[in-house]
């Protein structure tokens, strides 16, 4: 029996290593591209005044400073490992594989091209917008795991409230005050209140043992990573060394990641939401 258990443990470790390998390879690619000559990296950056489909895709993979590169690699590894862990525990490997496929294939160009909605001179580059898409996947991964843990479906309204709360946070902290931000905060708060009121009316807290989730290490780690990266990704706007954090791109990535994962989860593109227990 001991021999079988040990073999099973080794197999699990090998499986875990293989699952996160694409994240490590992607991080290695970012480091490798950063070693190209500066002129080559300039050519791969996205210029608002001369946009191309090619540079729209390549720009997110480009970095010019070690600190920018290190920060994006760290976020990629942290978000990727958390997403991999939750997907594996939830028996939903396609959630993780689907997220990586989207992150590598379509999201880089989509996030960059949507920058054109705010016309301005300059150049954009860096993986942070794509990283925030991975952060947007995390709430769905947490709920997916929670459903497996509880053996029942969780109302989709919870995810809507989760996204609304994070949107309100971004508007309140990372965007200068204005009538628009005040309206966004107000609408976000209204959505959260409506979902909570609905849950209380349906008696959800009494029928779902949330205490089991609050003490679950995977849930705590997933929510903790999501919250930490949300704070890092949406700081107060400030100019550092002549550059400014592109909150717009960060939110684009976050919203695209969340929306993609939410639809895949609800429409069961990443596996059936069955009664696991």
């Amino acid at each position: 029996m001991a021999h079988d258990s040990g073999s099973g443990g080794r197999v699990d470790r090998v499986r875990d290593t293989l699952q996160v390998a694409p994240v490590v390879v992607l991080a290695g690619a970012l480091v490798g591209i950063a070693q190209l000559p500066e002129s080559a990296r300039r050519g791969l950056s996205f210029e608002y005044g001369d946009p191309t489909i090619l540079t729209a895709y390549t720009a997110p993979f480009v970095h010019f400073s070690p600190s920018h590169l290190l920060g994006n690699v760290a976020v990629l590894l942290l978000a990727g490992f958390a997403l991999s862990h939750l997907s594996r525990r939830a028996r939903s490997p396609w959630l993780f594989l689907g997220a990586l496929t989207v992150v590598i294939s379509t999201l880089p160009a989509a996030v960059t091209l949507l920058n054109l909605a705010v016309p301005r001179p300059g150049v954009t580059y860096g993986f942070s917008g794509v990283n925030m898409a991975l952060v947007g996947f995390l709430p769905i991964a947490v709920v997916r795991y929670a459903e497996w843990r509880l053996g029942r479906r969780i109302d989709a309204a919870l995810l809507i409230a989760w996204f609304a709360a994070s949107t309100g946070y971004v508007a309140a902290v990372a965007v200068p005050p204005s009538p628009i931000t005040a309206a966004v905060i107000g609408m976000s708060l209204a959505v959260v209140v409506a979902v909570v009121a609905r849950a209380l009316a349906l008696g959800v807290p009494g029928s779902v043992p949330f205490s089991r989730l609050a003490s679950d290490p995977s849930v705590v780690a997933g929510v903790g990573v999501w919250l930490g990266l949300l704070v890092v990704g949406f700081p107060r706007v400030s100019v550092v060394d002549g550059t400014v954090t592109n909150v717009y791109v960060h939110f684009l990535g976050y919203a695209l990641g969340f929306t993609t994962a939410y639809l895949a989860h609800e429409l069961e593109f990443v596996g059936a939401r069955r009664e696991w227990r």
Side-chain angles (χ1 to χ4, degrees):
M1 292 294 292
H3 175 72
D4 291 341
S5 176
S7 299
R10 284 193 293 273
V11 170
D12 287 342
R13 286 193 292 273
V14 170
R15 187 182 297 115
D16 293 347
T17 300
L18 290 175
Q19 181 163 318
V20 300
V23 178
V24 177
V25 171
L26 181 55
L30 295 182
V31 174
I33 292 171
Q35 309 313 308
L36 294 174
E38 182 174 340
S39 59
R41 284 178 283 154
R42 293 288 177 191
L44 295 174
S45 300
F46 185 80
E47 296 186 24
Y48 294 111
D50 185 23
T52 68
I53 296 296
L54 177 61
T55 56
Y57 179 81
T58 58
F61 298 92
V62 174
H63 298 84
F64 289 96
S65 71
S67 60
H68 191 199
L69 172 66
L70 181 60
N72 275 334
V73 167
V75 172
L76 170 62
L77 293 176
L78 190 57
F81 287 0
L83 183 59
S84 171
H85 171 77
L86 288 165
S87 300
R88 180 179 59 82
R89 292 295 305 276
R91 310 297 192 268
S92 294
W94 285 109
L95 177 61
F96 175 70
L97 294 175
L100 281 188
T101 300
V102 171
V103 161
I104 294 171
S105 61
T106 59
L107 267 177
V111 170
T112 305
L113 288 172
L114 285 171
N115 257 302
L116 295 176
V118 183
R120 58 199 181 281
V123 178
T124 188
Y125 53 86
F127 206 71
S128 55
V130 182
N131 270 338
M132 291 310 297
L134 282 176
V135 177
F137 271 92
L138 284 176
I140 287 78
V142 171
V143 169
R144 194 85 174 179
Y145 169 73
E147 289 189 336
W148 173 84
R149 182 80 169 81
L150 298 172
R152 69 190 73 181
R153 294 189 179 208
I154 292 176
D155 193 336
L158 173 64
L159 282 168
I160 299 299
W162 194 332
F163 181 73
S166 57
T167 300
Y169 169 82
V170 173
V173 173
V175 182
S178 72
I180 294 178
T181 56
V184 170
I185 295 169
M187 287 187 291
S188 299
L189 182 60
V191 170
V192 173
V193 170
V195 171
V196 171
R198 178 174 179 271
L200 292 173
L202 295 175
V204 173
S207 62
V208 177
F210 284 107
S211 59
R212 289 168 56 188
L213 300 178
S215 60
D216 187 293
S218 294
V219 173
V220 172
V223 174
V225 169
W226 168 81
L227 183 59
L229 294 182
L230 191 75
V231 172
V232 169
F234 297 103
R236 292 192 177 278
V237 178
S238 61
V239 177
V240 179
D241 297 329
T243 63
V244 61
T245 300
N246 195 332
V247 174
Y248 172 69
V249 168
H250 286 195
F251 187 74
L252 274 178
Y254 179 69
L256 286 173
F258 179 92
T259 302
T260 302
Y262 175 80
L263 292 175
H265 170 68
E266 285 297 312
L267 298 176
E268 301 187 348
F269 291 155
V270 289
R273 296 171 62 198
R274 57 192 180 277
E275 296 292 337
W276 286 277
R277 294 185 179 184

